[in-house]
Amino acid sequence: MKKLFTSLFLFVLLLSFYTFPALAANVYDNENLLSASEKQLLEKRLQDIAETYNFDVAIVTVDSLNGKSAMEYADDYYDENGFGFGPDHDGLLFLLAMDSRDYWTSTSGYGIKAFTDYGIRYISDNVVGLLSEGEYYKAFDKYLDYVDMFLAEAATGTPFDTDHEVITSGDYLFLSLLTVAISAAIAFIVVGIMKSKMKTANKQRYALNYVKDGSFKVTSDKDLFLYTTTTKQKVESSSNSGGSSTHSSSSGNSHGGGGGKF
């Protein structure tokens, strides 16, 4: 009996030294907006993003901001819960506050570079409608679609920004149709003008017949330069409306981000 007790004690002692790997479970649905299966699907997507890009993403829903702004709450939640990978805490947090209907994206480390102010506005504009309709799972799922797309683009070295905007297949089709329509309109107007000026002309067999007798008179002559060459050089401006605006959280860490109401 004593031998059995000693064995069990050693087994428990060995377990205490073993550290189980922590599973990423960065969906903190405090307001129960998601079903269990929806939460699992989102967590699986977060794990895939983390493994692919070494980038930490968290989704948080809360009832109240407890007197803080959405930006302050999201930044503090990110810092106090130790989100982010590496020394720069690379990642982002997407927050919903149900009582005030606020949403906010807080970025950190590499997230500040990958998700510029333009990028955060673009993503928010494309999911806020679903949030307003109460389609929270669809909104979060679509949000992660854009997170994946923006991280893939940032990995090329050129994140989406004001000088490198997102162009979807629908945008390409619209621009193509718009180009064709404008070209056709211009051609129609030009041809119409040319035709209107030809109303008094009668078709002649010989070109000389179009010249009125005695109408050609040389009254003066002068030299004209028919061609000139102009060289243009782009002047670089010091101002740049792109990039990410940053601020410091209450803990002193640097964050980017943006948000609004839904």
Side-chain angles (χ1 to χ4, degrees), residues 33 53 76 90 174 176 193 234:
L33 304 179
Y53 302 103
D76 289 346
D90 301 333
F174 174 76
S176 298
I193 294 173
K234 182 180 180 181

Side-chain angles (χ1 to χ4, degrees), residues 214-228:
S215 62
F216 181 72
K217 297 179 180 178
V218 179
T219 57
S220 63
D221 63 327
K222 60 182 178 180
D223 296 328
L224 297 175
F225 291 99
L226 298 180
Y227 302 101
T228 61

Side-chain angles (χ1 to χ4, degrees), residues 7-20:
S7 298
L8 287 174
F9 175 77
L10 290 174
F11 178 72
V12 173
L13 183 64
L14 286 173
L15 286 178
S16 68
F17 286 107
Y18 185 81
T19 302
F20 291 97

Side-chain angles (χ1 to χ4, degrees), residues 10 19-20 73 106 110 130 137 146 154 181 215 237 247 251:
L10 290 174
T19 302
F20 291 97
Y73 196 101
S106 175
Y110 182 71
L130 291 171
Y137 171 74
Y146 286 114
S215 62
S237 172
H247 55 272
S251 60

